[in-house]
mmCIF file of all heavy atoms in Angstrom:
data_model
loop_
_atom_site.group_PDB
_atom_site.id
_atom_site.type_symbol
_atom_site.label_atom_id
_atom_site.label_comp_id
_atom_site.label_asym_id
_atom_site.label_seq_id
_atom_site.Cartn_x
_atom_site.Cartn_y
_atom_site.Cartn_z
ATOM 1 N N HIS A 703 -16.724 24.180 -13.165
ATOM 2 C CA HIS A 703 -17.731 23.976 -14.201
ATOM 3 C C HIS A 703 -18.838 23.060 -13.668
ATOM 4 O O HIS A 703 -18.549 22.098 -12.958
ATOM 5 C CB HIS A 703 -17.116 23.320 -15.438
ATOM 6 C CG HIS A 703 -15.905 24.030 -15.954
ATOM 7 N ND1 HIS A 703 -15.981 25.154 -16.738
ATOM 8 C CD2 HIS A 703 -14.575 23.768 -15.783
ATOM 9 C CE1 HIS A 703 -14.759 25.566 -17.040
ATOM 10 N NE2 HIS A 703 -13.891 24.751 -16.479
ATOM 11 N N PRO A 704 -20.081 23.324 -14.028
ATOM 12 C CA PRO A 704 -21.144 22.381 -13.636
ATOM 13 C C PRO A 704 -21.005 21.089 -14.434
ATOM 14 O O PRO A 704 -20.359 21.069 -15.489
ATOM 15 C CB PRO A 704 -22.424 23.130 -14.028
ATOM 16 C CG PRO A 704 -22.002 24.015 -15.153
ATOM 17 C CD PRO A 704 -20.595 24.446 -14.838
ATOM 18 N N PRO A 705 -21.575 20.004 -13.931
ATOM 19 C CA PRO A 705 -21.568 18.765 -14.723
ATOM 20 C C PRO A 705 -22.242 18.987 -16.068
ATOM 21 O O PRO A 705 -23.137 19.828 -16.195
ATOM 22 C CB PRO A 705 -22.372 17.789 -13.849
ATOM 23 C CG PRO A 705 -22.335 18.363 -12.473
ATOM 24 C CD PRO A 705 -22.282 19.847 -12.649
ATOM 25 N N GLU A 706 -21.810 18.224 -17.070
ATOM 26 C CA GLU A 706 -22.468 18.299 -18.378
ATOM 27 C C GLU A 706 -23.757 17.493 -18.378
ATOM 28 O O GLU A 706 -24.663 17.761 -19.169
ATOM 29 C CB GLU A 706 -21.523 17.823 -19.478
ATOM 30 C CG GLU A 706 -20.353 18.773 -19.689
ATOM 31 C CD GLU A 706 -19.656 18.564 -21.010
ATOM 32 O OE1 GLU A 706 -20.176 17.797 -21.852
ATOM 33 O OE2 GLU A 706 -18.595 19.164 -21.209
ATOM 34 N N TYR A 707 -23.826 16.492 -17.494
ATOM 35 C CA TYR A 707 -25.052 15.720 -17.325
ATOM 36 C C TYR A 707 -24.994 15.020 -15.977
ATOM 37 O O TYR A 707 -23.936 14.938 -15.341
ATOM 38 C CB TYR A 707 -25.230 14.698 -18.463
ATOM 39 C CG TYR A 707 -24.122 13.674 -18.567
ATOM 40 C CD1 TYR A 707 -24.096 12.532 -17.755
ATOM 41 C CD2 TYR A 707 -23.092 13.827 -19.490
ATOM 42 C CE1 TYR A 707 -23.086 11.591 -17.845
ATOM 43 C CE2 TYR A 707 -22.077 12.887 -19.596
ATOM 44 C CZ TYR A 707 -22.082 11.774 -18.773
ATOM 45 O OH TYR A 707 -21.067 10.847 -18.855
ATOM 46 N N LEU A 708 -26.126 14.531 -15.536
ATOM 47 C CA LEU A 708 -26.250 13.790 -14.279
ATOM 48 C C LEU A 708 -27.099 12.545 -14.528
ATOM 49 O O LEU A 708 -28.001 12.569 -15.352
ATOM 50 C CB LEU A 708 -26.918 14.669 -13.211
ATOM 51 C CG LEU A 708 -26.120 15.910 -12.783
ATOM 52 C CD1 LEU A 708 -26.991 16.850 -11.971
ATOM 53 C CD2 LEU A 708 -24.886 15.500 -11.980
ATOM 54 N N LEU A 709 -26.797 11.482 -13.821
ATOM 55 C CA LEU A 709 -25.731 11.284 -12.880
ATOM 56 C C LEU A 709 -24.378 11.216 -13.591
ATOM 57 O O LEU A 709 -24.286 10.774 -14.733
ATOM 58 C CB LEU A 709 -25.965 9.982 -12.102
ATOM 59 C CG LEU A 709 -27.288 9.889 -11.322
ATOM 60 C CD1 LEU A 709 -27.414 8.519 -10.671
ATOM 61 C CD2 LEU A 709 -27.428 10.968 -10.281
ATOM 62 N N VAL A 710 -23.322 11.598 -12.862
ATOM 63 C CA VAL A 710 -21.986 11.600 -13.434
ATOM 64 C C VAL A 710 -21.436 10.180 -13.439
ATOM 65 O O VAL A 710 -21.259 9.565 -12.382
ATOM 66 C CB VAL A 710 -21.052 12.522 -12.624
ATOM 67 C CG1 VAL A 710 -19.620 12.423 -13.152
ATOM 68 C CG2 VAL A 710 -21.550 13.952 -12.662
ATOM 69 N N ASP A 711 -21.172 9.662 -14.638
ATOM 70 C CA ASP A 711 -20.528 8.354 -14.752
ATOM 71 C C ASP A 711 -19.101 8.536 -15.257
ATOM 72 O O ASP A 711 -18.629 9.659 -15.442
ATOM 73 C CB ASP A 711 -21.331 7.424 -15.665
ATOM 74 C CG ASP A 711 -21.497 7.971 -17.079
ATOM 75 O OD1 ASP A 711 -20.729 8.873 -17.482
ATOM 76 O OD2 ASP A 711 -22.409 7.487 -17.788
ATOM 77 N N GLU A 712 -18.415 7.428 -15.476
ATOM 78 C CA GLU A 712 -16.998 7.483 -15.826
ATOM 79 C C GLU A 712 -16.740 7.976 -17.248
ATOM 80 O O GLU A 712 -15.585 8.243 -17.608
ATOM 81 C CB GLU A 712 -16.357 6.107 -15.614
ATOM 82 C CG GLU A 712 -16.267 5.661 -14.170
ATOM 83 C CD GLU A 712 -17.546 5.018 -13.629
ATOM 84 O OE1 GLU A 712 -18.570 4.989 -14.369
ATOM 85 O OE2 GLU A 712 -17.540 4.543 -12.467
ATOM 86 N N ASP A 713 -17.788 8.120 -18.054
ATOM 87 C CA ASP A 713 -17.648 8.660 -19.408
ATOM 88 C C ASP A 713 -17.771 10.179 -19.458
ATOM 89 O O ASP A 713 -17.624 10.774 -20.525
ATOM 90 C CB ASP A 713 -18.697 8.034 -20.332
ATOM 91 C CG ASP A 713 -18.499 6.535 -20.506
ATOM 92 O OD1 ASP A 713 -17.331 6.088 -20.530
ATOM 93 O OD2 ASP A 713 -19.515 5.815 -20.601
ATOM 94 N N HIS A 714 -18.038 10.788 -18.321
ATOM 95 C CA HIS A 714 -18.192 12.241 -18.282
ATOM 96 C C HIS A 714 -16.893 12.923 -18.720
ATOM 97 O O HIS A 714 -15.800 12.484 -18.350
ATOM 98 C CB HIS A 714 -18.571 12.687 -16.862
ATOM 99 C CG HIS A 714 -18.985 14.112 -16.769
ATOM 100 N ND1 HIS A 714 -18.096 15.166 -16.814
ATOM 101 C CD2 HIS A 714 -20.227 14.675 -16.630
ATOM 102 C CE1 HIS A 714 -18.751 16.305 -16.703
ATOM 103 N NE2 HIS A 714 -20.039 16.040 -16.586
ATOM 104 N N PRO A 715 -16.967 14.008 -19.508
ATOM 105 C CA PRO A 715 -15.752 14.726 -19.930
ATOM 106 C C PRO A 715 -14.936 15.230 -18.741
ATOM 107 O O PRO A 715 -15.477 15.503 -17.660
ATOM 108 C CB PRO A 715 -16.312 15.901 -20.739
ATOM 109 C CG PRO A 715 -17.648 15.442 -21.202
ATOM 110 C CD PRO A 715 -18.186 14.564 -20.109
ATOM 111 N N LEU A 716 -13.626 15.353 -18.961
ATOM 112 C CA LEU A 716 -12.693 15.791 -17.920
ATOM 113 C C LEU A 716 -12.295 17.246 -18.149
ATOM 114 O O LEU A 716 -12.077 17.673 -19.284
ATOM 115 C CB LEU A 716 -11.444 14.915 -17.912
ATOM 116 C CG LEU A 716 -11.667 13.404 -17.844
ATOM 117 C CD1 LEU A 716 -10.316 12.696 -17.698
ATOM 118 C CD2 LEU A 716 -12.600 13.021 -16.711
ATOM 119 N N ARG A 717 -12.179 17.983 -17.018
ATOM 120 C CA ARG A 717 -11.698 19.361 -17.066
ATOM 121 C C ARG A 717 -10.832 19.617 -15.835
ATOM 122 O O ARG A 717 -11.238 20.331 -14.910
ATOM 123 C CB ARG A 717 -12.867 20.351 -17.072
ATOM 124 C CG ARG A 717 -13.616 20.441 -18.400
ATOM 125 C CD ARG A 717 -14.701 21.497 -18.300
ATOM 126 N NE ARG A 717 -15.292 21.789 -19.601
ATOM 127 C CZ ARG A 717 -16.264 22.678 -19.791
ATOM 128 N NH1 ARG A 717 -16.745 23.356 -18.769
ATOM 129 N NH2 ARG A 717 -16.753 22.892 -21.007
ATOM 130 N N PRO A 718 -9.633 19.054 -15.781
ATOM 131 C CA PRO A 718 -8.776 19.271 -14.607
ATOM 132 C C PRO A 718 -8.450 20.743 -14.439
ATOM 133 O O PRO A 718 -8.092 21.426 -15.406
ATOM 134 C CB PRO A 718 -7.531 18.440 -14.925
ATOM 135 C CG PRO A 718 -7.526 18.295 -16.416
ATOM 136 C CD PRO A 718 -8.966 18.244 -16.816
ATOM 137 N N LEU A 719 -8.573 21.230 -13.201
ATOM 138 C CA LEU A 719 -8.440 22.654 -12.936
ATOM 139 C C LEU A 719 -7.176 23.031 -12.187
ATOM 140 O O LEU A 719 -6.940 24.219 -11.941
ATOM 141 C CB LEU A 719 -9.659 23.139 -12.133
ATOM 142 C CG LEU A 719 -11.019 23.001 -12.819
ATOM 143 C CD1 LEU A 719 -12.132 23.408 -11.854
ATOM 144 C CD2 LEU A 719 -11.075 23.851 -14.078
ATOM 145 N N ASN A 720 -6.377 22.054 -11.784
ATOM 146 C CA ASN A 720 -5.136 22.367 -11.074
ATOM 147 C C ASN A 720 -4.102 21.280 -11.342
ATOM 148 O O ASN A 720 -4.387 20.273 -12.004
ATOM 149 C CB ASN A 720 -5.396 22.541 -9.565
ATOM 150 C CG ASN A 720 -6.035 21.314 -8.932
ATOM 151 O OD1 ASN A 720 -5.637 20.178 -9.185
ATOM 152 N ND2 ASN A 720 -7.046 21.540 -8.087
ATOM 153 N N SER A 721 -2.906 21.485 -10.820
ATOM 154 C CA SER A 721 -1.796 20.570 -11.096
ATOM 155 C C SER A 721 -2.055 19.177 -10.542
ATOM 156 O O SER A 721 -1.616 18.175 -11.129
ATOM 157 C CB SER A 721 -0.496 21.126 -10.515
ATOM 158 O OG SER A 721 -0.610 21.317 -9.105
ATOM 159 N N TYR A 722 -2.758 19.100 -9.417
ATOM 160 C CA TYR A 722 -3.076 17.791 -8.833
ATOM 161 C C TYR A 722 -4.024 17.016 -9.738
ATOM 162 O O TYR A 722 -3.777 15.853 -10.080
ATOM 163 C CB TYR A 722 -3.704 17.994 -7.450
ATOM 164 C CG TYR A 722 -4.312 16.745 -6.867
ATOM 165 C CD1 TYR A 722 -3.515 15.757 -6.300
ATOM 166 C CD2 TYR A 722 -5.692 16.543 -6.879
ATOM 167 C CE1 TYR A 722 -4.072 14.610 -5.765
ATOM 168 C CE2 TYR A 722 -6.256 15.403 -6.352
ATOM 169 C CZ TYR A 722 -5.443 14.436 -5.790
ATOM 170 O OH TYR A 722 -6.000 13.298 -5.270
ATOM 171 N N ALA A 723 -5.127 17.648 -10.135
ATOM 172 C CA ALA A 723 -6.082 16.970 -11.007
ATOM 173 C C ALA A 723 -5.438 16.590 -12.334
ATOM 174 O O ALA A 723 -5.694 15.502 -12.872
ATOM 175 C CB ALA A 723 -7.295 17.867 -11.236
ATOM 176 N N LEU A 724 -4.594 17.463 -12.864
ATOM 177 C CA LEU A 724 -3.910 17.148 -14.112
ATOM 178 C C LEU A 724 -2.991 15.947 -13.949
ATOM 179 O O LEU A 724 -2.904 15.090 -14.835
ATOM 180 C CB LEU A 724 -3.120 18.365 -14.592
ATOM 181 C CG LEU A 724 -2.519 18.267 -15.998
ATOM 182 C CD1 LEU A 724 -3.626 18.128 -17.045
ATOM 183 C CD2 LEU A 724 -1.664 19.503 -16.282
ATOM 184 N N SER A 725 -2.317 15.858 -12.807
ATOM 185 C CA SER A 725 -1.453 14.694 -12.560
ATOM 186 C C SER A 725 -2.264 13.406 -12.508
ATOM 187 O O SER A 725 -1.773 12.340 -12.897
ATOM 188 C CB SER A 725 -0.663 14.887 -11.255
ATOM 189 O OG SER A 725 -1.454 14.644 -10.093
ATOM 190 N N LYS A 726 -3.507 13.491 -12.041
ATOM 191 C CA LYS A 726 -4.344 12.296 -11.970
ATOM 192 C C LYS A 726 -4.801 11.849 -13.362
ATOM 193 O O LYS A 726 -4.926 10.646 -13.623
ATOM 194 C CB LYS A 726 -5.544 12.543 -11.059
ATOM 195 C CG LYS A 726 -5.180 12.695 -9.581
ATOM 196 C CD LYS A 726 -4.454 11.473 -9.059
ATOM 197 C CE LYS A 726 -4.158 11.554 -7.579
ATOM 198 N NZ LYS A 726 -3.437 10.347 -7.079
ATOM 199 N N THR A 727 -5.060 12.795 -14.267
ATOM 200 C CA THR A 727 -5.392 12.389 -15.632
ATOM 201 C C THR A 727 -4.197 11.711 -16.287
ATOM 202 O O THR A 727 -4.356 10.744 -17.042
ATOM 203 C CB THR A 727 -5.841 13.587 -16.485
ATOM 204 O OG1 THR A 727 -4.769 14.501 -16.670
ATOM 205 C CG2 THR A 727 -7.019 14.296 -15.857
ATOM 206 N N ALA A 728 -2.987 12.197 -15.989
ATOM 207 C CA ALA A 728 -1.785 11.562 -16.520
ATOM 208 C C ALA A 728 -1.614 10.158 -15.934
ATOM 209 O O ALA A 728 -1.202 9.223 -16.641
ATOM 210 C CB ALA A 728 -0.552 12.410 -16.210
ATOM 211 N N GLY A 729 -1.937 9.986 -14.654
ATOM 212 C CA GLY A 729 -1.865 8.661 -14.046
ATOM 213 C C GLY A 729 -2.837 7.680 -14.668
ATOM 214 O O GLY A 729 -2.508 6.506 -14.861
ATOM 215 N N GLU A 730 -4.043 8.157 -14.979
ATOM 216 C CA GLU A 730 -5.018 7.295 -15.653
ATOM 217 C C GLU A 730 -4.518 6.882 -17.036
ATOM 218 O O GLU A 730 -4.683 5.721 -17.455
ATOM 219 C CB GLU A 730 -6.356 8.015 -15.769
ATOM 220 C CG GLU A 730 -7.053 8.251 -14.444
ATOM 221 C CD GLU A 730 -8.373 8.980 -14.568
ATOM 222 O OE1 GLU A 730 -8.768 9.313 -15.712
ATOM 223 O OE2 GLU A 730 -9.029 9.225 -13.544
ATOM 224 N N ALA A 731 -3.916 7.831 -17.755
ATOM 225 C CA ALA A 731 -3.381 7.506 -19.077
ATOM 226 C C ALA A 731 -2.241 6.504 -18.973
ATOM 227 O O ALA A 731 -2.131 5.573 -19.794
ATOM 228 C CB ALA A 731 -2.906 8.783 -19.782
ATOM 229 N N ALA A 732 -1.383 6.665 -17.967
ATOM 230 C CA ALA A 732 -0.287 5.713 -17.764
ATOM 231 C C ALA A 732 -0.825 4.325 -17.449
ATOM 232 O O ALA A 732 -0.295 3.308 -17.930
ATOM 233 C CB ALA A 732 0.623 6.202 -16.638
ATOM 234 N N ALA A 733 -1.889 4.259 -16.648
ATOM 235 C CA ALA A 733 -2.478 2.958 -16.314
ATOM 236 C C ALA A 733 -3.013 2.272 -17.565
ATOM 237 O O ALA A 733 -2.804 1.061 -17.759
ATOM 238 C CB ALA A 733 -3.595 3.158 -15.287
ATOM 239 N N ALA A 734 -3.704 3.022 -18.414
ATOM 240 C CA ALA A 734 -4.232 2.433 -19.646
ATOM 241 C C ALA A 734 -3.092 1.942 -20.539
ATOM 242 O O ALA A 734 -3.189 0.875 -21.167
ATOM 243 C CB ALA A 734 -5.087 3.464 -20.382
ATOM 244 N N TYR A 735 -2.013 2.703 -20.601
ATOM 245 C CA TYR A 735 -0.847 2.313 -21.396
ATOM 246 C C TYR A 735 -0.220 1.024 -20.871
ATOM 247 O O TYR A 735 0.073 0.093 -21.636
ATOM 248 C CB TYR A 735 0.171 3.456 -21.376
ATOM 249 C CG TYR A 735 1.581 3.056 -21.745
ATOM 250 C CD1 TYR A 735 1.945 2.842 -23.072
ATOM 251 C CD2 TYR A 735 2.552 2.890 -20.766
ATOM 252 C CE1 TYR A 735 3.242 2.472 -23.403
ATOM 253 C CE2 TYR A 735 3.845 2.528 -21.078
ATOM 254 C CZ TYR A 735 4.189 2.315 -22.401
ATOM 255 O OH TYR A 735 5.467 1.950 -22.725
ATOM 256 N N ILE A 736 -0.010 0.944 -19.562
ATOM 257 C CA ILE A 736 0.621 -0.248 -18.973
ATOM 258 C C ILE A 736 -0.276 -1.469 -19.148
ATOM 259 O O ILE A 736 0.194 -2.566 -19.471
ATOM 260 C CB ILE A 736 0.932 -0.009 -17.482
ATOM 261 C CG1 ILE A 736 2.013 1.069 -17.328
ATOM 262 C CG2 ILE A 736 1.359 -1.300 -16.807
ATOM 263 C CD1 ILE A 736 3.390 0.687 -17.802
ATOM 264 N N THR A 737 -1.581 -1.291 -18.952
ATOM 265 C CA THR A 737 -2.509 -2.410 -19.154
ATOM 266 C C THR A 737 -2.459 -2.892 -20.598
ATOM 267 O O THR A 737 -2.404 -4.106 -20.867
ATOM 268 C CB THR A 737 -3.934 -1.996 -18.779
ATOM 269 O OG1 THR A 737 -4.004 -1.750 -17.367
ATOM 270 C CG2 THR A 737 -4.934 -3.094 -19.120
ATOM 271 N N ASP A 738 -2.465 -1.965 -21.531
ATOM 272 C CA ASP A 738 -2.447 -2.331 -22.948
ATOM 273 C C ASP A 738 -1.136 -3.001 -23.333
ATOM 274 O O ASP A 738 -1.120 -3.984 -24.086
ATOM 275 C CB ASP A 738 -2.680 -1.089 -23.796
ATOM 276 C CG ASP A 738 -2.755 -1.408 -25.289
ATOM 277 O OD1 ASP A 738 -3.660 -2.160 -25.679
ATOM 278 O OD2 ASP A 738 -1.902 -0.918 -26.049
ATOM 279 N N ARG A 739 -0.030 -2.499 -22.817
ATOM 280 C CA ARG A 739 1.281 -3.024 -23.223
ATOM 281 C C ARG A 739 1.622 -4.334 -22.538
ATOM 282 O O ARG A 739 2.179 -5.241 -23.161
ATOM 283 C CB ARG A 739 2.359 -1.986 -22.931
ATOM 284 C CG ARG A 739 3.763 -2.450 -23.345
ATOM 285 C CD ARG A 739 4.807 -1.388 -23.146
ATOM 286 N NE ARG A 739 6.126 -1.893 -23.543
ATOM 287 C CZ ARG A 739 7.253 -1.220 -23.415
ATOM 288 N NH1 ARG A 739 7.242 0.010 -22.903
ATOM 289 N NH2 ARG A 739 8.403 -1.744 -23.784
ATOM 290 N N TYR A 740 1.298 -4.455 -21.238
ATOM 291 C CA TYR A 740 1.740 -5.604 -20.456
ATOM 292 C C TYR A 740 0.612 -6.539 -20.041
ATOM 293 O O TYR A 740 0.878 -7.641 -19.552
ATOM 294 C CB TYR A 740 2.464 -5.136 -19.184
ATOM 295 C CG TYR A 740 3.746 -4.383 -19.436
ATOM 296 C CD1 TYR A 740 3.758 -2.997 -19.491
ATOM 297 C CD2 TYR A 740 4.957 -5.062 -19.607
ATOM 298 C CE1 TYR A 740 4.937 -2.292 -19.707
ATOM 299 C CE2 TYR A 740 6.147 -4.378 -19.824
ATOM 300 C CZ TYR A 740 6.126 -2.994 -19.878
ATOM 301 O OH TYR A 740 7.298 -2.302 -20.091
ATOM 302 N N GLY A 741 -0.628 -6.087 -20.155
ATOM 303 C CA GLY A 741 -1.740 -6.920 -19.719
ATOM 304 C C GLY A 741 -1.986 -6.893 -18.225
ATOM 305 O O GLY A 741 -2.772 -7.704 -17.718
ATOM 306 N N LEU A 742 -1.339 -5.981 -17.504
ATOM 307 C CA LEU A 742 -1.525 -5.883 -16.055
ATOM 308 C C LEU A 742 -2.862 -5.205 -15.760
ATOM 309 O O LEU A 742 -3.098 -4.072 -16.191
ATOM 310 C CB LEU A 742 -0.395 -5.063 -15.430
ATOM 311 C CG LEU A 742 -0.543 -4.714 -13.947
ATOM 312 C CD1 LEU A 742 -0.523 -5.973 -13.084
ATOM 313 C CD2 LEU A 742 0.572 -3.752 -13.516
ATOM 314 N N PRO A 743 -3.774 -5.856 -15.014
ATOM 315 C CA PRO A 743 -5.048 -5.209 -14.673
ATOM 316 C C PRO A 743 -4.830 -4.063 -13.683
ATOM 317 O O PRO A 743 -4.395 -4.289 -12.554
ATOM 318 C CB PRO A 743 -5.876 -6.333 -14.041
ATOM 319 C CG PRO A 743 -5.162 -7.599 -14.372
ATOM 320 C CD PRO A 743 -3.712 -7.235 -14.502
#
Side-chain angles (χ1 to χ4, degrees):
H703 308 280
E706 292 198 9
Y707 60 82
L708 295 168
L709 302 177
V710 175
D711 59 19
E712 292 83 355
D713 295 325
H714 190 284
L716 308 186
R717 286 183 170 180
L719 298 175
N720 57 44
S721 59
Y722 169 77
L724 189 63
S725 77
K726 291 302 184 180
T727 66
E730 292 179 0
Y735 161 77
I736 293 291
T737 293
D738 183 62
R739 181 176 179 184
Y740 296 95
L742 172 64

